Amino acid sequence: MTHLPQSRVRTIMKTADGADNIGKEAVFLSTRATEMFIKLLVKEGYRNTNCAKKLTYNNLVNVIHNTSRFEFLEIVIPKKITVRQYKELIAKSENPQRDKESSSDERSIL
Amino acid sequence: MAEKLEDLNLPNAPVQRIIKEILPDSVIIGKDVKPAVAKAASMFILYITSLSTQIAQKANRKTLVAQDIFDALEDAEFEEFNEPLKLALAEFKSSKSSKKDDKPKNNNEDDEEMEEEEVNEDKDD
């Protein structure tokens, strides 16, 4: 009936705020919809490879960050950054004061 | 209820099967792709559930019903899912009324093969 286990989907659904009572049909439909969603995301990701031999994380990122209906995924599927970029971001968020003094140009980024 | 943290993730095997099903056989799947897709799928469930909860609350209902999911999918711009889902729901209802319990019995399944690729191979789960 479904590829994904409905019991697990129901468990995940229950963690949403206010979702205490969930009808069986709603669980079934959510499960099927999630399967369709996975197919859609992978299909779009593959289209992003231009029919290459390999589907990568970055293909998914490109699709997610360029499609309005995938916007809700931007936090869970972030763009990958280098360690250096990461350290710069951390340094900035820890020392916003020093940053402001050192260069006023960088404020535009924040 | 979710007792362990991994209860909030979808199991890998079926997610992987769905990914493989949609891709041409020759395509290699990058190693970060599967966990990312699984995470995206969990997020999708939460997203649709919160939208449908809001819809149900507006209608003063405490229980999420099928129509809430359809409306939520439309709000989320996944309305193209709704037609195939309506067909699936009709099948789901008829299978529910013919079998009292929803535990699948593997021996008596051959009288009515569900559409396309519904043949379950549960051995590798």
Side-chain angles (χ1 to χ4, degrees):
Chain A
M1 188 118 260
T2 54
H3 287 285
L4 297 171
Q6 293 183 48
S7 55
R8 183 64 58 90
V9 172
R10 188 169 177 278
T11 306
I12 298 171
M13 290 176 85
K14 282 227 160 193
T15 63
D17 222 20
D20 300 321
N21 301 305
I22 307 169
K24 276 194 173 149
E25 292 180 4
V27 173
F28 169 75
L29 286 175
S30 301
T31 310
R32 272 293 179 92
T34 305
E35 293 169 359
M36 294 168 84
F37 167 78
I38 293 174
K39 288 183 185 174
L40 177 73
L41 179 63
V42 172
K43 212 197 283 178
E44 298 284 316
Y46 182 61
R47 192 181 294 166
N48 185 264
T49 68
N50 288 318
C51 294
K53 285 269 182 305
K54 188 174 180 182
L55 174 68
T56 65
Y57 180 89
N58 278 332
N59 296 129
L60 297 178
V61 167
N62 288 341
V63 167
I64 288 164
H65 291 256
N66 289 312
T67 317
S68 71
R69 61 180 177 169
F70 289 144
E71 214 178 274
F72 69 98
L73 295 171
E74 285 179 12
I75 302 163
V76 285
I77 316 288
K79 284 182 183 162
K80 283 196 174 171
I81 57 172
T82 61
V83 175
R84 172 186 250 164
Q85 286 170 319
Y86 175 74
K87 283 183 177 159
E88 280 171 8
L89 280 174
I90 293 297
K92 243 177 231 172
S93 63
E94 278 173 354
N95 293 311
Q97 209 59 41
R98 197 196 62 186
D99 215 54
K100 238 183 246 174
E101 287 161 13
S102 61
S103 72
S104 53
D105 297 356
E106 283 188 32
R107 271 201 291 178
S108 57
I109 305 168
L110 295 176
Chain B
M1 271 281 96
E3 277 161 9
K4 287 176 274 167
L5 208 55
E6 56 266 35
D7 289 346
L8 298 176
N9 296 328
L10 291 166
N12 285 321
V15 172
Q16 184 173 341
R17 209 176 304 151
I18 299 168
I19 296 175
K20 283 195 171 155
E21 205 177 281
I22 202 76
L23 289 172
D25 285 344
S26 58
V27 175
I28 299 163
I29 302 166
K31 73 168 162 49
D32 320 355
V33 168
K34 275 177 254 169
V37 169
K39 228 193 251 178
S42 294
M43 199 63 194
F44 175 80
I45 296 170
L46 278 177
Y47 177 51
I48 294 303
T49 308
S50 349
L51 288 175
S52 31
T53 307
Q54 287 166 22
I55 292 165
Q57 276 166 359
K58 262 186 211 154
N60 277 323
R61 263 187 290 98
K62 288 232 165 94
T63 304
L64 285 193
V65 297
Q67 193 56 47
D68 299 328
I69 306 291
F70 290 132
D71 292 346
L73 286 168
E74 204 174 316
D75 285 355
E77 297 176 57
F78 293 103
E79 61 278 340
E80 82 256 37
F81 291 0
N82 281 353
E83 273 316 304
L85 283 179
K86 277 174 187 163
L87 294 174
L89 180 64
E91 265 175 29
F92 178 73
K93 280 180 178 167
S94 66
S95 79
K96 271 281 142 68
S97 52
S98 60
K99 292 178 220 158
K100 280 275 152 62
D101 57 345
D102 54 331
K103 298 262 156 62
K105 288 172 198 154
N106 286 327
N107 39 6
N108 269 334
E109 289 286 82
D110 46 19
D111 49 343
E112 207 185 39
E113 211 73 273
M114 299 286 185
E115 38 132 72
E116 316 146 286
E117 300 160 48
E118 285 295 329
V119 192
N120 287 319
E121 290 167 21
D122 283 332
K123 56 189 173 194
D124 56 342
D125 273 348

